[in-house]
């Protein structure tokens, strides 16, 4: 492919650090670079504790487990997200309640309030996704969690380098989660990070991430855990990638501005929340769908895999780009529209379905220059006709 949605972009230091790992023979488990990677995340996000893991999904699973989520518990969650945000609810046999989004792509606080007020029992936790790097309305959401004693878990897998009120997304809740899989703003080829200011909670997650082994000479277990830690080799890649994170954010934001300039009048762009900085992980836009098309209704419903159709204009743009060897894709299909979650409770307002039907993720790789964005935009304009 000529342009990918979000290709890995090395800093140039990765191989040097990997060489050091091999020289020490500490390729696994853990080692100095895993510690350094955790330190660099702590420093950047100003989180007090960080735990390097082998995926963002693992971090979400641990956050729920440490929050005490058990079979039959209610966990509120963003519906407009990738399945990895919510699959761990099922791992623990808890019950998801999906909440639709507002113009930030994040949870709509008024629907969240309704879901909390109407809940048959007190929800244990809320998984809030900051989608495509954009901040949700943190003030309102934090207040609702505090007032109702709900553990806030921020899925900031796509939002490292994003801020609300000058504070890193992922550091508002009891737990924050980042992902370093291949298409994220920085990558370790695969990996994740769990952050928390609650040292005890993070220690517990650390314990579960290494098979819940008791502190003694032999292997003693009073509980079961997982094999979720990151290797030292991948830690070395993470350290090198953290050195250029700010550069990558600047470039992603620049790419977004170029798209806005070239596609003005053709596609709609949703601004970031005032008082926030999106990392613009992926540049996203919609066609035939803008602010005035949001909030068409408000209802409590059961998730159902109804026949939802992507706007033919979006389908055509994606095909025309593909014919030119350019990757793009529809926006995430909300969880309440997925067969796997059929029958789960959902609080809806029409927004996430609208974004799915009319939205597109544009190629946003940080190697792209202004001319590349122009070329992609020209193909889109021609496609719209
Ligand atoms: C919103 C969201 N949550 C969670 C994840 C899971 O991260 P990982 O792929 O590292 O398990 C991803 C990315 O894949 C994501 O985009």
């Amino acid at each position: 492919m000529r342009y990918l949605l979000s290709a890995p972009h090395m800093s140039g230091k990765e191989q040097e650090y990997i060489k050091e790992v091999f020289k020490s023979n500490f390729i696994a488990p853990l080692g100095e670079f895993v510690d350094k990677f955790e330190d660099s995340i702590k420093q950047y996000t100003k989180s007090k504790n960080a735990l390097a893991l082998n995926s963002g999904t693992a971090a979400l699973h641990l956050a729920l487990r440490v929050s005490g989520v058990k079979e039959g518990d209610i966990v509120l969650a963003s519906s407009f997200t990738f399945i990895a945000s919510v699959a761990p609810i099922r791992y623990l046999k808890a019950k998801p309640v999906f909440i639709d989004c507002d113009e930030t792509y994040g949870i709509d606080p008024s629907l969240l309030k309704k879901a909390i007020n109407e809940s048959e029992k007190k929800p244990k936790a809320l998984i809030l996704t900051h989608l495509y790097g954009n901040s949700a309305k943190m003030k309102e959401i934090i207040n609702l969690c505090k007032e109702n004693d709900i553990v806030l878990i921020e899925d900031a897998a796509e939002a490292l380098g994003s801020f609300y009120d000058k504070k890193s997304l992922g550091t508002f809740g009891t737990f924050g989660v980042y992902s370093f899989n291949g298409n994220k703003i920085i990558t370790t080829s695969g990996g994740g990070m769990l952050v928390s200011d609650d040292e005890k909670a993070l220690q517990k997650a650390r314990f579960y991430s290494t098979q819940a082994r008791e502190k003694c000479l032999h292997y003693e277990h009073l509980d079961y855990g997982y094999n979720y830690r990151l290797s030292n080799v991948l830690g070395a890649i993470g350290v090198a990638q953290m050195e250029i994170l700010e550069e990558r954010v600047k470039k992603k934001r620049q790419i977004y501005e170029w798209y806005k300039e070239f596609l003005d009048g053709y596609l709609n762009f949703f601004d970031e929340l005032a008082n926030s900085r999106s990392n613009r992980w992926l540049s996203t836009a919609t066609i035939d769908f803008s602010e005035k098309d949001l909030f068409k209704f408000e209802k409590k419903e059961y998730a159902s895999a109804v026949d939802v159709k992507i706007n033919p204009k979006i389908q055509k743009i994606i095909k025309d780009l593909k014919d030119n060897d350019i990757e793009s894709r529809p926006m995430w299909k909300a969880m309440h529209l997925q067969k796997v979650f059929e029958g789960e409770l959902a609080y809806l307002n029409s927004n996430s379905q609208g974004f799915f039907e009319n939205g597109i993720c544009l190629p946003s790789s940080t190697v792209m220059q202004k001319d590349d964005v122009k070329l992609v935009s020209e193909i889109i304009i021609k496609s719209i006709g």
Side-chain angles (χ1 to χ4, degrees), residues 83-120:
I83 193 166
S85 309
V86 295
I89 302 172
R90 278 276 171 89
Y91 300 172
L92 293 166
K93 299 192 170 69
K95 280 199 78 61
V97 173
F98 297 116
I99 324 271
D100 216 325
C101 67
D102 58 21
E103 70 281 6
T104 68
Y105 306 151
I107 276 180
D108 169 4
S110 81
L111 276 186
L112 175 62
K113 189 172 180 181
K114 207 165 156 50
I116 294 170
N117 289 343
E118 292 182 5
S119 188
E120 63 188 48

Side-chain angles (χ1 to χ4, degrees), residues 55-57 60 81-82 84-85 129 155 157-158 179-181 184 191 332:
S55 72
T57 313
L60 284 153
T81 190
F82 176 47
S85 309
T129 305
D155 180 351
E158 302 176 356
S179 165
F180 311 110
N181 80 16
K184 292 299 180 285
W332 294 120

Side-chain angles (χ1 to χ4, degrees), residues 320-338:
D320 290 347
L321 288 173
K322 189 163 180 263
D323 289 346
N324 282 278
D325 218 17
I326 297 167
E327 188 185 23
S328 62
R329 72 173 171 216
M331 290 172 83
W332 294 120
K333 185 176 180 183
M335 294 303 110
H336 72 271
L337 297 171
Q338 305 281 358

Side-chain angles (χ1 to χ4, degrees), residues 43-54:
Q43 213 172 359
Y44 183 87
T45 62
K46 300 201 167 59
S47 179
K48 291 205 178 98
N49 306 280
L51 176 66
L53 298 161
N54 54 22

